[in-house]
Amino acid sequence: MAFGVALFSSLLILSVFFSGVHALDWNYYAKTCPNVDSIVTNAVKAAVSRDKTIPATLLRMHFHDCFIRGCDGSVLLDSKGNNKAEKDATPNLSLHGFFVIDNAKKAVEKACPGVVSCADILAMAARDAVVLSGGPNWYVPKGRKDGRISRASETSTLPSPAFNLAQLQQSFGQRGLSLEDLAALSGAHTLGFSHCASFQNRIHNFSATHDVDPNLHPTFASKLKGKCPLHNKAKNAGVPMDPSSKTFDNTYYQLILQRKTLFASDHSLLELPKTKELVYRFARSKNDFWQAFVKSITKMGSISGSGQEIRKDCRVVN
């Protein structure tokens, strides 16, 4: 009950913020496509029933969309001619599940043609991904427009798994996100799978004096070395993000304190008193994490894009 009351209070605050400055509104499609949430949810449910890796990729897809050009669905566009799109850039090559958005869009278009943007559908799908993984539910403010530009080169500004806290703070700050948002949104790393390349530098030839990052628990590092040997030949070798990698829980924060997270960026949350305190708080309380995550992902989802249209097909501009 306490979580529900606190979440309602947060949502009241956010309603003022989002309906004003960012022109997003929970009731944006109330008259033009009243069942849009359930239509998108059904498409995500159908995909997740066949592939349990879908939630993690949809959540990451939304994050990568909003961090490049704002939340405008640019990550969904296909490369065309000489233009290499965001989805074909190195940081996004492990994204999959674009078919989920395609299926949701087709169903939405059947019910409400020409009304709902692909960017909004992706934001709703990311919410559904969390809910279907046992996480919190929330109202997604809507009214985003779809962008017409998608450039692979711009993904170089995405935060890297190797970032330290100063670099993360700069990356998030440039997008209007705070240290609190950084700590809460990092909790999305409780879902999914990581390829060896994202943490290889921590377990092999880390520095002139250490083969392994000393911030890694030795036993955990040994396990990672077993999965990801120095001259790894397996294309898809990697490990789950955490032992409960299909459940949206607070295990991630507990693992940070145990020095058992994959990325240097995860451990970096202990570098400042502010984020360190949040790690301890979220490790103790799943509800505190959930409440903070809902607030921060709603804020992230409001990053203004340069969208101008409602795409008919999420993969191509009109």
Side-chain angles (χ1 to χ4, degrees):
M1 178 61 76
F3 171 66
V5 172
L7 176 57
F8 180 70
S9 300
S10 296
L11 291 178
L12 284 178
I13 295 168
L14 287 166
S15 73
V16 175
F17 182 72
F18 291 112
S19 62
V21 178
H22 296 279
L24 297 183
D25 186 346
W26 294 320
N27 296 313
Y28 190 82
Y29 299 116
K31 294 181 179 178
T32 55
C33 196
N35 297 319
V36 63
D37 281 277
S38 60
I39 295 171
V40 173
T41 298
N42 287 339
V44 177
K45 277 183 177 177
V48 173
S49 69
R50 298 190 299 272
D51 183 351
K52 300 303 181 188
T53 70
I54 289 296
T57 198
L58 289 178
L59 189 54
R60 189 160 166 255
M61 197 183 292
H62 179 45
F63 176 91
H64 283 207
D65 182 40
C66 292
F67 263 56
I68 306 296
R69 296 188 164 269
C71 310
D72 67 347
S74 55
V75 74
L76 304 172
L77 288 170
D78 285 343
S79 296
K80 184 178 180 182
N82 293 325
N83 182 62
K84 186 177 179 181
E86 291 171 34
K87 65 165 60 168
D88 292 323
T90 299
N92 288 332
L93 290 178
S94 60
L95 287 180
H96 62 286
F98 290 100
F99 74 92
V100 183
I101 306 302
D102 294 336
N103 290 347
K105 177 65 171 174
K106 286 173 186 172
V108 169
E109 284 296 304
K110 187 175 181 181
C112 325
V115 172
V116 181
S117 68
C118 298
D120 275 346
I121 288 173
L122 178 53
M124 286 181 271
R127 181 268 321 276
D128 295 332
V130 171
V131 175
L132 293 171
S133 301
N137 202 344
W138 67 92
Y139 293 109
V140 175
K142 304 171 186 74
R144 301 164 188 80
K145 293 293 189 291
D146 294 323
R148 296 178 55 83
I149 298 171
S150 182
R151 299 188 182 115
S153 59
E154 294 180 357
T155 63
S156 62
T157 65
L158 286 169
S160 160
F163 271 10
N164 61 33
L165 191 57
Q167 292 169 311
L168 289 170
Q169 188 173 6
Q170 181 181 26
S171 177
F172 277 65
Q174 287 171 343
R175 294 157 172 95
L177 299 172
S178 66
L179 280 173
E180 291 87 345
D181 299 319
L182 165 60
L185 291 170
S186 294
H189 287 171
T190 190
L191 291 181
F193 177 92
S194 173
H195 291 98
C196 296
S198 295
F199 56 87
Q200 191 88 353
N201 64 313
R202 299 189 76 197
I203 57 173
H204 299 291
N205 303 321
F206 178 70
S207 69
T209 53
H210 294 91
D211 183 48
V212 173
D213 183 348
N215 288 323
L216 271 176
H217 190 287
T219 305
F220 182 60
S222 295
K223 287 182 179 178
L224 294 181
K225 277 176 169 277
K227 296 285 187 181
C228 303
L230 182 56
H231 301 293
N232 174 50
K233 303 290 186 187
K235 182 180 178 183
N236 293 315
V239 296
M241 293 295 285
D242 74 29
S244 56
S245 62
K246 292 182 174 62
T247 304
F248 196 86
D249 55 23
N250 61 335
T251 303
Y252 165 78
Y253 298 100
Q254 296 164 6
L255 293 172
I256 291 177
L257 299 176
Q258 297 167 23
R259 297 159 53 207
K260 293 181 179 179
T261 46
L262 297 177
F263 303 153
S265 59
D266 297 328
H267 184 81
S268 76
L269 294 178
L270 299 177
E271 290 174 11
L272 275 182
K274 176 67 177 177
T275 47
K276 185 175 183 177
E277 186 275 327
L278 289 167
V279 169
Y280 273 91
R281 180 151 65 90
F282 297 158
R284 286 192 304 267
S285 171
K286 183 172 70 175
N287 281 347
D288 281 1
F289 163 48
W290 280 5
Q291 184 179 338
F293 181 83
V294 166
K295 185 176 179 181
S296 293
I297 196 169
T298 307
K299 183 177 174 183
M300 183 194 79
S302 78
I303 298 174
S304 299
S306 56
Q308 304 167 1
E309 64 185 22
I310 306 295
R311 280 182 222 141
K312 296 182 179 71
D313 179 337
C314 292
R315 294 175 178 264
V316 295
V317 298
N318 291 345

